[in-house]
């Protein structure tokens, strides 16, 4: 993450959400506002990047004469976890709210639009978005330029979690450590060091009431071994490396429960590609399938 600019992966994620909302049926995840936070120059740059990658990895398809939106959809297929993880987090948040949770902390929020899409929750849910100061400043500017108004239950918390603890960040917000909260940590763990991840888990545990929940996605560590890399994962690694935000970390899925327990969490769910296929992709005809190396997990503070 460069100090002076917003995250490029946040822009790419918003683009994928917007493209899926506009062109996919049925929809894995519906984000009606993601496109409003992007400008035409950014859209053009993302599409150029994707089509160049498609021409490199699948030249026959690139020259097939298929519609531009169809080709972009194929190019985005390897990033489909972006949609599944957002749907998973918001579904689990809804369940937690039914159980009385009234605080939602989005760690590494990027250009997430949940608070903007759900103004109806302002009397039931306090939302705190944490992200790098450059990304968060960019997001607030984009919201203004789109003519949108941040709802009163949304609180921004600029922070660099490589330099300060989650507890320190939360102490500057209306967050109440005495009440259970729901945390999402999406598209983040793979870009951090192991030490930073463990420090964040420790800080989250220390500043959360029992029963709080954390949803996150991660890369299975074994996928990083060259002999295990699928073509799809290899392209994903190349994409994020080319935009200057390389993936460097993966959890060992076979030891995830023990690793979380050591930090004071109980693993509730760990969804691999087979489980994701059943939940998010069954009966699709557009070729979208789970990213084989990406997993979705949910844990509770004990």
């Amino acid at each position: 993450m460069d100090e002076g600019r917003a995250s490029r992966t946040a822009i790419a994620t918003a683009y994928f959400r917007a493209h899926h909302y506009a062109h996919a049926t049925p929809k894995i995840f519906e984000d009606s506002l993601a496109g409003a936070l992007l400008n035409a120059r950014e859209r053009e740059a993302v599409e150029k990047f994707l089509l160049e990658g498609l021409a490199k990895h699948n030249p026959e398809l690139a020259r097939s004469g298929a519609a531009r939106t169809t080709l972009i959809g194929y190019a985005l297929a390897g990033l489909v976890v972006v949609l599944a993880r957002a749907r998973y987090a918001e579904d689990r948040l809804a369940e937690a709210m039914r159980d009385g949770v009234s605080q939602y902390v989005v760690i590494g929020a990027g250009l997430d639009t949940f608070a903007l899409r759900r103004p109806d929750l302002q009397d039931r849910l306090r939302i705190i978005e944490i992200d790098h100061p450059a990304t968060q400043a960019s997001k607030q500017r984009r919201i203004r330029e789109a003519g949108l108004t941040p709802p009163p239950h949304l609180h921004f918390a600029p922070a660099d979690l490589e330099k300060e603890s989650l507890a320190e960040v939360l102490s500057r917000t209306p967050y109440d450590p005495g009440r259970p909260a729901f945390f999402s940590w999406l598209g983040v763990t793979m870009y951090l060091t192991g030490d930073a991840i463990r420090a964040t888990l420790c800080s989250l545990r220390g500043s959360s009431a029992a029963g709080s929940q954390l949803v996150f996605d991660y890369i299975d560590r074994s996928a990083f071994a060259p002999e295990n890399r699928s073509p799809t994962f290899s392209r994903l690694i190349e994409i994020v490396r080319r935009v200057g935000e390389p993936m460097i970390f993966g959890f060992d899925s076979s030891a995830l429960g023990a690793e979380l327990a050591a930090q004071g969490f109980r693993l509730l769910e760990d969804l691999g590609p087979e489980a994701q296929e059943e939940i998010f992709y069954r009966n699709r005809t557009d070729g979208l399938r789970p990213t084989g190396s990406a997993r979705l997990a949910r844990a509770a503070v004990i």
Side-chain angles (χ1 to χ4, degrees):
M1 180 74 209
D2 291 348
E3 293 293 330
R5 66 166 172 80
S7 166
R8 291 177 181 172
T9 54
I11 292 172
T13 295
Y15 177 88
F16 194 1
R17 288 184 174 200
H19 186 276
H20 185 76
Y21 181 77
H23 301 290
T25 303
K27 302 186 194 310
I28 297 170
F29 178 70
E30 297 192 32
D31 189 337
S32 59
L33 294 179
L37 302 186
L38 300 174
N39 60 49
R41 177 180 53 80
E42 289 166 336
R43 289 173 180 267
E44 182 179 346
V46 172
E47 291 175 2
K48 181 176 182 290
F49 183 89
L50 291 169
L51 292 172
E52 287 176 349
L54 185 67
K56 176 180 178 181
H57 294 288
N58 195 335
E60 182 177 352
L61 176 59
R63 295 192 300 265
S64 67
R68 181 181 177 88
T69 55
T70 300
L71 293 176
I72 290 171
Y74 279 117
L76 286 167
L79 305 174
V80 73
V81 68
V82 164
L83 306 171
R85 71 193 184 197
R87 165 83 175 277
Y88 178 66
E90 293 190 13
D91 285 353
R92 294 298 179 266
L93 171 62
E95 294 172 1
M97 289 184 64
R98 287 194 288 271
D99 291 334
V101 167
S102 59
Q103 300 186 101
Y104 180 30
V105 181
V106 189
I107 308 172
L111 299 180
D112 184 82
T113 64
F114 177 77
L116 300 171
R117 284 183 281 114
R118 297 301 307 272
D120 57 301
L121 297 179
Q122 61 183 289
D123 295 327
R124 300 174 51 203
L125 187 69
R126 176 183 298 153
I127 303 173
I128 299 168
E129 292 191 1
I130 300 172
D131 213 330
H132 190 279
T135 297
Q136 203 153 81
S138 173
K139 179 176 184 175
Q140 291 175 281
R141 172 181 56 77
R142 292 165 188 272
I143 290 173
R144 292 192 300 271
E145 291 175 350
L148 301 171
T149 302
H153 63 313
L154 171 60
H155 306 271
F156 294 105
D160 185 345
L161 294 179
E162 293 274 9
K163 298 179 179 178
E164 62 179 327
S165 72
L166 180 64
E168 290 173 318
V169 178
L170 289 174
S171 70
R172 305 195 295 264
T173 75
Y175 174 77
D176 183 352
R179 296 162 52 198
F182 187 91
F183 294 81
S184 68
W185 199 18
L186 305 179
V188 178
T189 63
M190 57 288 297
Y191 300 107
L192 299 180
T193 64
D195 287 344
I197 289 170
R198 285 185 285 274
T200 298
L201 289 172
C202 180
S203 188
L204 192 156
R205 172 65 187 87
S207 56
S208 302
S212 294
Q213 293 186 32
L214 167 67
V215 163
F216 63 99
D217 63 324
Y218 71 96
I219 300 296
D220 194 319
R221 185 173 299 162
S222 64
F224 285 97
E227 64 273 17
N228 293 334
R229 287 187 187 179
S230 68
T232 299
F233 185 56
S234 294
R235 288 196 295 273
L236 178 58
I237 287 180
E238 179 186 350
I239 287 171
V240 295
R241 178 190 59 78
R242 286 172 60 195
V243 300
E245 297 170 30
M247 292 182 177
I248 60 175
F249 182 85
F251 282 103
D252 178 354
S253 59
S254 66
L256 182 63
E259 187 159 353
L260 289 173
Q263 300 290 340
F265 294 84
R266 181 176 73 257
L267 180 62
L268 301 176
E269 287 182 304
D270 182 16
L271 305 183
E274 296 82 7
Q276 293 176 47
E277 173 81 32
E278 180 66 19
I279 297 170
F280 304 118
Y281 304 93
R282 188 169 54 174
N283 298 325
R284 296 197 70 88
T285 60
D286 55 8
L288 289 183
R289 292 293 178 268
T291 304
S293 55
R295 303 178 70 93
L296 307 174
R298 180 168 61 102
V301 171
I302 55 178

